[in-house]
C-alpha cells in the first residue's frame, strides 16, 4: 500500500523544539505498518516555498505517482480546498483531526467534506459532523508507538512524576500536592527542571512509582483562551479571525476534558498511572484495574498517599494497563481499524 503522508515535521514549525508529536507517532507509525510504503511530504517546506507552491507540489506529486492513500495530520490552513478537491478525484484522502472538542466548529467541519474520510478522537464529534451533513467520519483514538515507548528495567527511584508543558492549571495542581506533603518531580516546557527528551521521558516513566496525567482544562477567561475569539493560527503565524460566532462555540469547547496521547504512552512503558477523568476514558482502560482516575485535587492527594504505600497493587494495575495497551492501543491497531473501515 502506497501512502503519501503530510503533517508537521517539527513542533510548531520550530526545529529548536524538536520533532513533532505527529512525526514521532503518525509518520513513524505508518513507516512501521506492515506492507506500507510511505512517502513524506511535510508542511515545513511551506516556510521555504510558500503555501501556494507547496500545494502545487503536493498535487503534482499525487498526479505523477498516485498513492493509494493521502494521509493528512491536520494542523492549520496548510491544505488548499481546491487542492484537496482535485486530489479526491485522483485517490483516497484521509484527514486526522486533533482537538475536535474545540476545533470542530471553526476548523474541522470546513475541511472534512473535502476528504474522502476524516478521523476524529472526540466521542461527540460524529454526531456534530452529522448535523452539518458530513458523514465520512471515523471515530478513532490516540495510541502508543511501541517503538518509542517501552518499559526499562530500572529501579523505581522517583515517587511521583509529571512530564508535560507547564500551564497555570497544571501548576496549581502540583502546588496543592506539594503543600499536602507530596513531592512531585516535574519536567517539560515552563518547569524549572526543563524540557525532557524522548529518552528522558521513557526513563522517568519507568523510574516513577506513580506517573501523573494532569489533563486540567484551560481557564475560559484567561488571556490565551479569550484570544481564540479573535485570533487563529495560520501555519507558523497568528492571524486575526473574524468568524466570531464559530470562534465563540469553539471557545466554549475548551472546557471539555479531552483524552490525550500521554496515558497510552505511559501505559506502553508499563507505568502506573493516576489520570484526570476525560471524555470516554473508561472505554479504553478499566478504572482501578488498569488505570486510576481522580476527580479533584483532594481526591488525588488521597490516592497518591494510598498507592505510594501499596506496591503490589500498584504493579498489578500497571501490568494490566501495559498488556491491554499492547493488545488494543497501538498505532498499528488504530491504523488497521481505519484501513479496514475504508476498505483497504
Amino acid at each position: 500500500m502506497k501512502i503519501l503522508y503530510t503533517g508537521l515535521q517539527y513542533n510548531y514549525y520550530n526545529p529548536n523544539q524538536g520533532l513533532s508529536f505527529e512525526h514521532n507517532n503518525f509518520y513513524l507509525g505508518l513507516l512501521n505498518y506492515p506492507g506500507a510504503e510511505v512517502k513524506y511530504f511535510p508542511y515545513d517546506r511551506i516556510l521555504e516555498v510558500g503555501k501556494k507552491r507547496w500545494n502545487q507540489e503536493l498535487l503534482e506529486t499525487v498526479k505523477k505517482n498516485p498513492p493509494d492513500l493521502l494521509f493528512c495530520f491536520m494542523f492549520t490552513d496548510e491544505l488548499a480546498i481546491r487542492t484537496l478537491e482535485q486530489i479526491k478525484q485522483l485517490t483516497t484522502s484521509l484527514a486526522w483531526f486533533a482537538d475536535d472538542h474545540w476545533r470542530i466548529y471553526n476548523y474541522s467541519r470546513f475541511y472534512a467534506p473535502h476528504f474522502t474520510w476524516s478521523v476524529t478522537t472526540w466521542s461527540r464529534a460524529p454526531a456534530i459532523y452529522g448535523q452539518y451533513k458530513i458523514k465520512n467520519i471515523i471515530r478513532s483514538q490516540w495510541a502508543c508507538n511501541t517503538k518509542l515507548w517501552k518499559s526499562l528495567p530500572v529501579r523505581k527511584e522517583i515517587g511521583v512524576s509529571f512530564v508535560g508543558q507547564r500551564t497555570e492549571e497544571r501548576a496549581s495542581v502540583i502546588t496543592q500536592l506539594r503543600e499536602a506533603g507530596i513531592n512531585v518531580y516535574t519536567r517539560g516546557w515552563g518547569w524549572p527542571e526543563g524540557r525532557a527528551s524522548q529518552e528522558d521521558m521513557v526513563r522517568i516513566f519507568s523510574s516513577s512509582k506513580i506517573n501523573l496525567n494532569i489533563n486540567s482544562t484551560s481557564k475560559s477567561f484567561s488571556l490565551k483562551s479569550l484570544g481564540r475569539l479573535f485570533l487563529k493560527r495560520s501555519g507558523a503565524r497568528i492571524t486575526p479571525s473574524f468568524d466570531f460566532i464559530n470562534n465563540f462555540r469553539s471557545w466554549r469547547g475548551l472546557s471539555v476534558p479531552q483524552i490525550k496521547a500521554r496515558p497510552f504512552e505511559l501505559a506502553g512503558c508499563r507505568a502506573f498511572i493516576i489520570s484526570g477523568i476525560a471524555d470516554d476514558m473508561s472505554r479504553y482502560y478499566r478504572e482501578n484495574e488498569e488505570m486510576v482516575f481522580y476527580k479533584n485535587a483532594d481526591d488525588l492527594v488521597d490516592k497518591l498517599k494510598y498507592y505510594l504505600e501499596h506496591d503490589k497493587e500498584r504493579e498489578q494495575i500497571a501490568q494490566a494497563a501495559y498488556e491491554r495497551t499492547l493488545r488494543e492501543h497501538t498505532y498499528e491497531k488504530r491504523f488497521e481499524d481505519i484501513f479496514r473501515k475504508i476498505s483497504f
Side-chain angles (χ1 to χ4, degrees):
M1 176 169 57
K2 294 191 298 182
I3 299 174
L4 179 60
Y5 171 82
T6 186
L8 272 182
Q9 182 174 8
Y10 293 106
N11 197 40
Y12 290 98
Y13 285 95
N14 187 350
N16 293 328
Q17 293 190 20
L19 293 168
S20 69
F21 166 86
E22 46 267 48
H23 174 94
N24 286 333
N25 293 281
F26 284 76
Y27 172 59
L28 296 183
L30 288 168
L31 276 181
N32 294 327
Y33 190 81
E37 176 187 327
V38 184
K39 180 179 176 61
Y40 202 10
F41 205 91
Y43 297 146
D44 305 64
R45 181 167 162 73
I46 292 175
L47 297 182
E48 301 175 30
V49 302
K51 192 184 306 180
K52 182 177 180 180
R53 179 59 193 163
W54 183 87
N55 274 266
Q56 291 173 345
E57 291 177 352
L58 176 64
L59 182 58
E60 289 167 4
T61 299
V62 173
K63 287 181 176 179
K64 184 176 181 180
N65 188 15
D68 298 306
L69 175 68
L70 172 67
F71 193 119
C72 305
F73 191 103
M74 303 299 288
F75 184 56
T76 64
D77 55 359
E78 289 80 9
L79 291 148
I81 299 299
R82 183 179 178 184
T83 302
L84 292 175
E85 283 296 330
Q86 290 178 278
I87 289 175
K88 195 164 71 166
Q89 302 303 315
L90 300 170
T91 188
T92 301
S93 59
L94 181 143
W96 183 291
F97 290 105
D99 299 325
D100 264 354
H101 62 295
W102 68 271
R103 298 191 80 190
I104 193 169
Y105 293 109
N106 66 353
Y107 177 71
S108 308
R109 71 179 179 92
F110 294 108
Y111 278 94
H114 305 288
F115 286 89
T116 314
W117 296 96
S118 297
V119 179
T120 184
T121 62
W122 186 28
S123 63
R124 291 184 54 202
I128 295 174
Y129 279 115
Q131 294 174 9
Y132 296 101
K133 311 300 182 184
I134 302 171
K135 304 296 184 181
N136 60 334
I137 304 300
I138 297 171
R139 171 83 193 286
S140 188
Q141 194 50 264
W142 308 114
C144 174
N145 181 347
T146 55
K147 302 292 184 181
L148 295 177
W149 308 102
K150 56 188 68 178
S151 177
L152 298 180
V154 295
R155 294 180 58 189
K156 302 288 186 182
E157 299 176 330
I158 302 172
V160 181
S161 69
F162 172 74
V163 178
Q165 183 177 353
R166 184 188 185 279
T167 64
E168 183 180 343
E169 296 76 27
R170 289 169 172 172
S172 176
V173 173
I174 297 297
T175 297
Q176 292 178 70
L177 297 181
R178 289 171 174 167
E179 289 176 348
I182 298 172
N183 183 35
V184 184
Y185 177 70
T186 55
R187 289 288 296 274
W189 289 103
W191 297 107
E193 297 85 352
R195 184 172 180 263
S197 67
Q198 174 71 33
E199 294 76 15
D200 290 338
M201 287 191 283
V202 172
R203 182 164 293 277
I204 293 167
F205 296 166
S206 299
S207 303
S208 300
K209 294 180 180 178
I210 299 177
N211 291 265
L212 295 178
N213 176 51
I214 304 174
N215 58 343
S216 303
T217 58
S218 302
K219 291 184 178 179
S220 299
F221 293 97
S222 69
L223 185 62
K224 182 178 179 180
S225 296
L226 289 172
R228 300 182 192 278
L229 293 170
F230 312 102
L231 302 170
K232 66 178 181 179
R233 181 176 287 277
S234 175
R237 300 179 297 114
I238 302 297
T239 62
S241 174
F242 303 103
D243 189 5
F244 300 124
I245 294 177
N246 285 316
N247 288 348
F248 176 75
R249 299 176 77 183
S250 294
W251 171 76
R252 290 191 305 174
L254 292 170
S255 62
V256 177
Q258 190 68 3
I259 298 177
K260 301 295 184 181
R262 185 50 50 83
F264 301 101
E265 297 165 352
L266 286 165
C269 295
R270 201 185 273 108
F272 174 79
I273 308 153
I274 299 184
S275 172
I277 297 173
D279 168 62
D280 212 18
M281 192 67 181
S282 60
R283 173 179 177 178
Y284 302 97
Y285 292 104
R286 294 190 298 273
E287 186 172 6
N288 299 328
E289 295 180 31
E290 297 170 331
M291 195 171 291
V292 175
F293 303 118
Y294 70 89
K295 299 176 182 177
N296 51 48
D298 290 336
D299 184 39
L300 178 56
V301 168
D302 292 341
K303 288 176 176 174
L304 284 170
K305 290 180 176 178
Y306 175 84
Y307 283 106
L308 282 171
E309 298 298 324
H310 292 79
D311 296 353
K312 184 176 181 180
E313 187 174 353
R314 196 177 62 233
E315 291 302 316
Q316 288 174 340
I317 293 173
Q319 180 65 26
Y322 173 72
E323 291 175 359
R324 185 167 184 187
T325 300
L326 296 188
R327 188 172 63 247
E328 299 180 15
H329 302 322
T330 66
Y331 279 107
E332 286 82 0
K333 296 290 186 182
R334 298 287 190 253
F335 296 149
E336 180 181 359
D337 182 57
I338 291 169
F339 295 157
R340 186 187 306 113
K341 289 177 180 176
I342 65 176
S343 300
F344 272 34

